[in-house]
């Protein structure tokens, strides 16, 4: 496996998790929990927006504008709209991967560390962060589904 495969496996697991959300009521989709990004809606939105921002702004060095609350409400209103927006983001990411893997993995980028301070990262570190970030949150999605009384699919790669 290489970085392309890691992203593909992560997106496949995201799809299984969104499938599991398909039968949720609007109240369940938006129900807030006392951890993570509070709701399934917000957590999926966070995962997808982080991928988009890191690819565009941090790796490609192009402007990326954070979505407004209204944009987020529209993009992540339902599991179906979440899937549609996520598929748009994941359709762009392979181009970034192709342009940077393996030739530019050691290139340096300026980003922000966990405390919001400027910090240097390699392209490889950023890419690794993006898919492992989602993996961590996928476990939280499984927990939220179970807390709602719904089965949580296996999100493992193998």
């Amino acid at each position: 496996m290489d970085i392309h495969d890691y992203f593909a496996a992560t997106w496949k697991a995201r799809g299984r998790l969104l499938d599991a959300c398909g039968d949720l009521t609007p109240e369940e989709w938006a129900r807030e929990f006392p951890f993570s990004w509070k709701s399934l809606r917000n957590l999926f939105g966070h995962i997808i927006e982080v991928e988009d921002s890191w690819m565009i702004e941090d790796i490609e060095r192009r402007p990326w504008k954070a979505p407004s609350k209204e944009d987020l409400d529209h993009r992540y209103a339902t599991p179906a709209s979440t899937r549609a927006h996520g598929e748009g983001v994941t359709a762009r990411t392979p181009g970034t991967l192709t342009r940077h893997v393996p030739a530019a993995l050691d290139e340096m980028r300026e980003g922000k560390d966990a405390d919001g301070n400027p910090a240097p990262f390699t392209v490889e570190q950023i890419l690794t962060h993006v898919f492992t970030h989602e993996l961590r949150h996928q476990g939280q999605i499984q927990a939220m589904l179970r807390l709602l009384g719904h089965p949580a699919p296996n999100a493992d790669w193998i």
Side-chain angles (χ1 to χ4, degrees):
M1 288 183 84
D2 68 9
I3 290 176
H4 293 88
D5 299 319
Y6 301 156
F7 275 88
T10 303
W11 296 329
K12 193 173 181 180
R14 182 192 302 167
R16 289 192 302 272
L17 292 165
L18 279 166
D19 288 344
C21 293
D23 292 332
L24 297 177
T25 66
E27 294 76 24
E28 290 172 322
W29 177 242
R31 179 178 168 191
E32 293 194 356
F33 294 92
F35 61 91
S36 190
W37 283 81
K38 304 290 186 195
S39 68
L40 288 162
R41 174 195 173 278
N42 292 348
L43 187 50
F44 275 107
H46 169 70
I47 289 167
I48 294 165
E49 296 301 326
V50 163
E51 177 180 330
D52 203 34
S53 70
W54 280 89
M55 294 297 157
I56 293 171
E57 188 171 58
D58 296 292
I59 294 179
E60 297 282 358
R61 297 178 176 166
R62 290 185 288 120
W64 180 84
K65 184 180 176 197
S68 68
K69 181 183 179 327
E70 293 77 24
D71 289 336
L72 293 172
D73 288 345
H74 175 74
R75 290 176 186 177
Y76 305 106
T78 66
S81 65
T82 298
R83 182 185 304 274
H85 183 70
E87 287 173 353
V89 170
T90 62
R92 291 189 296 272
T93 297
T96 299
L97 297 176
T98 298
R99 287 186 289 279
H100 294 86
V101 176
L105 290 175
D106 291 335
E107 286 184 12
M108 297 303 295
R109 299 289 190 269
E110 281 295 317
K112 294 192 177 175
D113 65 18
D115 296 321
N117 299 312
F121 302 104
T122 65
V123 167
E124 183 174 26
Q125 287 173 315
I126 294 169
L127 292 172
T128 301
H129 171 75
V130 172
F131 73 80
T132 59
H133 167 263
E134 179 160 349
L135 294 175
R136 174 174 48 89
H137 285 313
Q138 286 180 359
Q140 294 170 332
I141 290 167
Q142 289 173 313
M144 288 177 174
L145 284 166
R146 289 182 182 118
L147 288 169
L148 289 168
H150 292 270
N154 185 340
D156 287 347
W157 289 0
I158 56 173

